Amino acid sequence: MSQLEEENGTVAAVERVNWTETSPQALYGRLQTLAGNLWWSWHPEVVALFRDLDPVKWRQVDHNPIALLKGMNPEEVAERVSQMVMITRINQAHRRLKEYLSDTERTKNTWGGHNAGVLGSKPVAYFSAEFGIHESVPIYSGGLGVLSGDHIKGASGLGVPLVAIGLFYDQGYFKQHLDVDGYQQEEYLDTKVENLPMDPATGPDGNPITVSIDTRTGTLLAKVWLMRVGRVNLYLLDCDVDGNSPEDRELTSRLYGGDRRTRIRQELVLGVGGVKAIAALGITPGAYHLNEGHSAFAPLEVIRERMHGDGLSFDDALREVAQRTVFTTHTPVPAGHDRFDAELVEEHLGPLREQLSISHDQLMGLGRVEPQNEQESFCMTVTGLKLSRRANAVSSLHGHVSRRMWAHLWPWRVEEEIPIGHITNGVHIPSWIAHPMQQLFDRQLGGSWRGHLEDADMWRGIYEVDPGELWETHHALKSRLLEFVRRRLSRQCRRRNEDEAAVEAARSALDPSALTIGFARRFATYKRADLFLQQMDQIAQLVNDPERPVQFLFSGKAHPADEGGKSFIKRIANLRHDPRFAGRVVFVEDYDIDVGRHLVQGVDVWLNNPRRPLEASGTSGMKVVLNGGLNCSILDGWWAEAFNGRNGFAIGDGTQHVDDAITDERDAIRLHDTLVEQVIPCFYDRDADGLPQQWIAMMTESIATLAARFSAHRMVVDYVRHCYVPAAGGLSSEMP
Ligand SMILES: *Cc1c(COP(=O)(O)O)cnc(C)c1O
């Protein structure tokens, strides 16, 4: 045996001894390692491991394993581990994480290792203003953030080289509760940095990174955190540092708070600061993905790098940087496109503009549809479109809408030639599918289904699943949801100091056998959460039908400045005072990923009734599919391309009227009619065994036709093929 082999042998032996070491410190250390990478959050066995350490505390700490471990000492943990015989589970989870993170595993055994080679040493830099990864990391507000979280988890699973850049909000988005009148109250809580799975990011020299950004009115500083999300490093910029003014220290405290000036400063930190952070980390990206216009300043800083590093002219640098830049637009709603006036732009981009050797008018022109039009403000979406070679919308219908919306940017082109394609959104299956459903698939699809989430053929195996077993699994999930909702409702009553009778009523609210319809999302007014109320008396009849009752679960936050959205919440929440709806139409406060997960896993039907065509994609309905729920939706966003007549329900036929009031009135009637004519009869039509065979066939068809197509894995594969690889200089392939 050579000395080297002997040494290796020794190392291996030492490792083996370490593995079985059960000292409290060793166990505690392994649990801390697991808690330090958000990989645990999409592995139900690992979640269960933390929960089993102390189920009560687990709930109290909002499912945060770092906080949980801080509340126990190593001896207590060891005691519990031996009581519950958890040692093997801990070691297994720890070993799986280590293997998952190893380089050889990624390059040899992942899709990205084989298909994203050109990105190997030059990863994608993915920018987003919010990331929704888990409820214990509150740096998201809604669909955009959850999509970003699902995108990076998908990239991690596929082994696609990618780093993500965002902002760290120490107060995040608000916690919601309703006052006695049903009016939304917002509360901002400080997140304890030490309880999050992140550390200061360090540069090649091992020192923590701080970036500085010059403005006309002073220099902004931001430190950089590293959060680990499986194989993906998420870098979060944070302005709470010494050297910033007290006001600037709070710049990144809250998500989507503050005025226009706060907003442009946040976006400056995200875009320009983000690119500086990447440089300080020693990373050279092969492609830049601007997820939404918030980060559209980023290419300007990359252009500066190229001009100063490689001596390029502004025009040449712009051309090269645009070639590497991918831009995704997310909404046709005008308020969703940030605009800034000339003074704000000059104050914040002035120093950078001088380094780019361009005039103020030239800079403003990049953010205007008509560059010379001084009446036009600076639009981040326009900037994103002009500074990227590849741009996309987030569903097929949204692609059409976006091409029409931005056609005037390319006046010489016909609409079909407007260079905006589409890549439809998808959801990260392991994060949204309930554990019992996974176990059912383990039994029925074979153990390797998890490695083939984007493979439509694999999902066809669902046709072989026993209908009774699928229905039973769904029913168990529905019971779990109703338990969760009752617990939340009684807590809401107690917080409002209501009497014991009310708390008791909340504990027995809802009927486990009734058709249960869920609606949860941001309460933006175009999503029309209140649409069903236009048919209030008819809906009351459905809710009170003694044979075939229907019940509704609502949840969602309105933006603090959106009085319209808040009034929707109030109307719906106050239905609890109407005897026709009490205990049958309920509002669950403080919508977040946790509430969302429970709802999508347990409802029979997911209701989606936006004003077409304003829902660019929508993703919550995709999460429902995985758990056997059926969609009942306006033909907007993803549903316009997903619905095939057998995999769910369509409200209306996709027509819209120029007058919103008429559209709303029509859609309300169509919603009611769809429920009465299709959804309710199908759900209550039972065979001799009490099974709704037709309904179950629809659940099966929904999973078979939609799970793969609307998965984050399919989405990330599309981005790699159509955007990232060509942007990084690999072979091009056309976007739809
Ligand atoms: C999935 C999700 C959303 C997105 O909902 P839409 O259907 O796109 O409106 C919003 N918020 C949370 C917490 C989610 O999990």
Side-chain angles (χ1 to χ4, degrees):
M1 201 189 269
S2 77
Q3 199 184 351
L4 191 67
E5 276 165 338
E6 198 177 318
E7 269 175 19
N8 281 346
T10 316
V11 170
V14 169
E15 279 225 338
R16 229 169 280 133
V17 172
N18 269 344
W19 272 121
T20 53
E21 210 211 309
T22 53
S23 79
Q25 267 68 26
L27 275 177
Y28 197 79
R30 267 167 243 163
L31 287 164
Q32 280 178 319
T33 305
L34 286 168
N37 187 318
L38 285 158
W39 173 87
W40 66 264
S41 68
W42 64 91
H43 291 84
E45 317 78 40
V46 193
V47 176
L49 211 139
F50 289 126
R51 189 180 46 231
D52 290 348
L53 284 177
D54 190 334
V56 175
K57 239 185 226 151
W58 179 242
R59 200 176 286 160
Q60 283 166 356
V61 297
D62 277 335
H63 308 159
N64 180 332
I66 295 180
L68 180 84
L69 289 172
K70 285 221 170 108
M72 303 173 87
N73 63 41
E75 285 69 31
E76 282 170 322
V77 169
E79 169 83 30
R80 182 74 183 162
V81 166
S82 104
Q83 248 174 27
M84 298 285 292
V85 205
M86 291 163 69
I87 180 86
T88 318
R89 289 161 65 198
I90 294 174
N91 284 349
Q92 260 175 7
H94 190 265
R95 196 173 307 140
R96 277 178 65 201
L97 173 62
K98 277 188 88 166
E99 186 181 291
Y100 182 84
L101 296 178
S102 81
D103 267 347
T104 35
E105 174 66 18
R106 194 198 74 72
T107 46
K108 287 216 174 102
N109 293 329
T110 67
W111 180 89
H114 298 288
N115 296 279
V118 60
L119 303 169
S121 57
K122 295 187 163 190
V124 177
Y126 179 87
F127 288 76
S128 185
E130 44 172 317
F131 286 89
I133 301 159
H134 185 260
E135 58 266 25
S136 61
V137 187
I139 55 170
Y140 64 95
S141 80
L144 180 73
V146 174
L147 179 83
S148 307
D150 280 6
H151 191 105
I152 64 175
K153 290 173 188 171
S156 171
L158 288 164
V160 173
L162 183 144
V163 296
I165 296 95
L167 297 178
F168 177 66
Y169 307 97
D170 60 358
Q171 298 191 341
Y173 208 51
F174 62 89
K175 303 282 276 179
Q176 174 199 55
H177 66 257
L178 305 189
D179 64 17
V180 282
D181 298 324
Y183 191 75
Q184 170 177 294
Q185 304 292 318
E186 297 106 25
E187 187 185 6
Y188 290 88
L189 298 180
D190 277 319
T191 309
K192 288 207 176 82
V193 170
E194 64 274 18
N195 285 350
L196 292 180
M198 59 184 201
D199 299 302
T202 51
D205 60 2
N207 291 323
I209 293 169
T210 303
V211 298
S212 70
I213 307 152
D214 291 331
T215 73
R216 291 269 182 248
T217 44
T219 299
L220 267 173
L221 301 177
K223 61 185 168 190
V224 185
W225 297 100
L226 164 58
M227 188 176 281
R228 293 183 179 81
V229 187
R231 297 183 176 107
V232 170
N233 284 348
L234 167 57
Y235 296 101
L236 298 169
L237 284 85
D238 178 357
C239 289
D240 185 12
V241 287
D242 291 339
N244 273 341
S245 68
E247 192 193 340
D248 286 339
R249 290 189 78 136
E250 292 186 2
L251 180 59
T252 50
S253 279
R254 295 181 181 184
L255 187 53
Y256 305 144
D259 54 8
R260 301 315 298 161
R261 190 159 182 276
T262 304
R263 184 61 85 89
I264 195 171
R265 290 166 86 77
Q266 286 188 338
E267 296 186 354
L268 186 71
V269 173
L270 175 64
V272 175
V275 172
K276 289 186 178 216
I278 294 171
L281 287 159
I283 297 168
T284 313
Y288 297 84
H289 186 170
L290 313 177
N291 187 44
E292 177 39 59
H294 304 127
S295 53
F297 291 139
L300 294 174
E301 172 63 15
V302 188
I303 292 172
R304 190 198 62 77
E305 284 179 350
R306 295 303 308 273
M307 289 172 69
H308 288 251
D310 303 329
L312 297 182
S313 69
F314 175 78
D315 288 338
D316 288 343
L318 188 154
R319 203 169 304 120
E320 289 200 9
V321 170
Q323 162 61 25
R324 289 197 180 275
T325 304
V326 179
F327 174 64
T328 303
T329 179
H330 280 270
T331 180
V333 179
H337 300 268
D338 276 326
R339 293 181 171 278
F340 300 112
D341 61 30
E343 292 79 66
L344 278 181
V345 172
E346 183 58 24
E347 179 189 346
H348 293 98
L349 277 298
L352 174 58
R353 162 180 87 64
E354 278 162 9
Q355 294 194 53
L356 298 175
S357 311
I358 58 173
S359 68
H360 172 72
D361 289 340
Q362 266 176 299
L363 176 62
M364 287 299 293
L366 289 173
R368 287 176 178 150
V369 175
E370 297 170 51
Q372 316 301 337
N373 181 355
E374 298 206 348
Q375 305 307 311
E376 228 187 295
S377 53
F378 185 96
C379 174
M380 295 301 274
T381 306
V382 172
T383 312
L385 290 168
K386 289 192 179 180
L387 296 181
S388 63
R389 259 292 304 281
R390 287 169 189 79
N392 69 287
V394 290
S395 72
S396 169
L397 178 61
H398 180 226
H400 288 288
V401 172
S402 299
R403 285 187 286 280
R404 206 172 317 139
M405 185 167 171
W406 299 110
H408 40 310
L409 267 174
W410 296 272
W412 58 93
R413 294 196 181 191
V414 294
E415 196 178 304
E416 300 77 66
E417 287 175 12
I418 299 300
I420 303 176
H422 80 271
I423 292 178
T424 304
N425 287 342
V427 297
H428 183 243
I429 294 175
S431 293
W432 295 106
I433 184 173
H435 196 200
M437 204 52 91
Q438 300 195 18
Q439 289 167 318
L440 174 69
F441 294 165
D442 282 341
R443 289 195 299 275
Q444 306 276 349
L445 301 177
S448 68
W449 67 278
R450 292 160 204 267
H452 301 89
L453 298 175
E454 70 288 353
D455 178 354
D457 285 337
M458 182 282 290
W459 285 100
R460 298 183 66 81
I462 194 75
Y463 287 121
E464 311 303 322
V465 171
D466 175 55
E469 210 177 329
L470 182 58
W471 182 248
E472 259 169 40
T473 307
H474 166 65
H475 233 267
L477 289 169
K478 183 171 166 181
S479 305
R480 193 169 84 175
L481 165 63
L482 297 191
E483 273 311 301
F484 171 83
V485 172
R486 286 171 173 169
R487 202 162 56 230
R488 286 292 187 111
L489 293 178
S490 53
R491 201 164 84 191
Q492 289 169 202
C493 286
R494 254 185 258 116
R495 218 212 37 251
R496 284 189 297 253
N497 287 320
E498 291 180 11
D499 57 20
E500 245 342 274
V503 177
E504 208 37 58
R507 278 211 197 97
S508 59
L510 304 163
D511 170 1
S513 57
L515 170 61
T516 302
I517 300 180
F519 182 108
R521 42 181 65 82
R522 287 182 307 113
F523 267 49
T525 45
Y526 78 86
K527 292 177 186 262
R528 301 189 299 187
D530 65 335
L531 189 72
F532 78 116
L533 289 178
Q534 292 208 9
Q535 296 275 309
M536 185 127 143
D537 295 336
Q538 292 86 336
I539 296 286
Q541 277 180 17
L542 303 183
V543 168
N544 291 289
D545 187 312
E547 302 292 324
R548 307 191 304 177
V550 178
Q551 58 194 1
F552 291 87
L553 311 178
F554 282 88
S555 191
K557 293 173 178 171
H559 186 278
D562 179 10
E563 291 302 327
K566 287 182 172 179
S567 75
F568 287 6
I569 291 176
K570 188 170 163 179
R571 280 191 73 195
I572 293 171
N574 284 345
L575 290 176
R576 70 196 181 94
H577 301 308
D578 182 332
R580 296 176 300 169
F581 297 112
R584 291 292 177 266
V585 178
V586 303
F587 186 88
V588 181
E589 295 176 16
D590 203 28
Y591 180 52
D592 67 354
I593 288 180
D594 185 33
V595 174
R597 192 191 305 109
H598 277 92
L599 285 166
V600 299
Q601 291 180 349
V603 294
D604 297 308
V605 171
W606 195 248
L607 178 63
N608 179 42
N609 46 228
R611 190 178 293 135
R612 194 179 192 263
L614 297 184
E615 190 63 88
S617 166
T619 53
S620 54
M622 304 171 185
K623 305 165 190 168
V624 172
V625 165
L626 307 166
N627 294 289
L630 294 179
N631 281 274
C632 176
S633 170
I634 296 273
L635 288 167
D636 195 11
W638 79 288
W639 195 238
E641 68 199 78
F643 177 65
N644 72 358
R646 300 180 307 279
N647 56 8
F649 305 96
I651 302 169
D653 55 8
T655 52
Q656 54 214 62
H657 196 277
V658 285
D659 183 333
D660 285 349
I662 296 178
T663 304
D664 292 356
E665 198 182 316
R666 269 192 203 161
D667 287 347
I669 295 170
R670 288 160 161 174
L671 161 60
H672 171 264
D673 291 352
T674 308
L675 293 178
V676 172
E677 291 161 14
Q678 301 178 44
V679 183
I680 297 172
C682 186
F683 181 81
Y684 282 108
D685 180 15
R686 305 297 165 102
D687 70 5
D689 297 326
L691 294 179
Q693 290 292 352
Q694 225 192 314
W695 187 274
I696 301 170
M698 219 182 240
M699 289 164 69
T700 306
E701 180 76 8
S702 161
I703 296 170
T705 59
L706 305 174
R709 268 175 75 197
F710 299 98
S711 67
H713 281 64
R714 188 276 309 150
M715 168 177 73
V716 173
V717 166
D718 279 353
Y719 274 108
V720 170
R721 289 202 175 123
H722 304 309
C723 303
Y724 300 161
V725 166
L731 281 181
S732 174
S733 98
E734 282 300 305
M735 203 187 318

